[in-house]
Each structure stands twice: as structure tokens, then as C-alpha cells.
Amino acid sequence: MGIYNRYHIAKKVYMNYLVIIIRKGKYVSYGIDTLILKRLKKNVNIEYQLQKLHINYLVLDNLDIIRKYEDIYKC
């Protein structure tokens, strides 16, 4: 199964999450999630930045969920 298909499967299930897939030690994403990742600073931990911005995210390795962060802070 291709990485693009994995992204779409996870995005259908977790619509309100930024879906990130780990591939060869790098973070990969598609669609609007890619635009969000490109806006983050390169030399700072990406997951830390997402938590500070109160963004729900999901980190996958193949189809296994490695980390899932759901922000409890509601505006």
C-alpha cells in the first residue's frame, strides 16, 4: 500500500487531526497537512510546535499509530 493511500485512510478516520507519516526518519504528509508542516520551523521539534499551536496530530508508521495528541484546550 502506498504512502498516499495510507494518508487518505487515516484522514478519513481522523478528519480533525493533522496526519503525519514517518518515512525514513522524516515527516511526510499530503494535502493541506503538508502546507501546515511547511510553515513550521525546521530546526525545532515539529511535535512540540504543533502542541504549542494547539493542533491535534497523529503520527503513523505504516498504519500503526505511534503518537496521537489531542489538545484539551478549547477556545
Side-chain angles (χ1 to χ4, degrees), residues 2-50:
I3 196 167
Y4 184 73
N5 291 334
R6 289 182 212 145
Y7 169 80
H8 275 290
I9 290 170
K11 196 65 174 179
K12 284 182 183 178
V13 177
Y14 298 100
M15 288 181 243
N16 297 327
Y17 287 81
L18 179 87
V19 177
I20 304 168
I21 300 173
I22 294 181
R23 182 171 185 197
K24 297 181 183 176
K26 295 184 178 182
Y27 291 122
V28 178
S29 193
Y30 293 96
I32 193 148
D33 294 350
T34 301
L35 298 175
I36 295 169
L37 284 179
K38 285 182 180 179
R39 299 291 294 183
L40 300 175
K41 296 178 183 175
K42 301 292 182 195
N43 56 356
V44 181
N45 186 355
I46 290 174
E47 294 180 34
Y48 176 75
Q49 291 180 59
L50 292 172

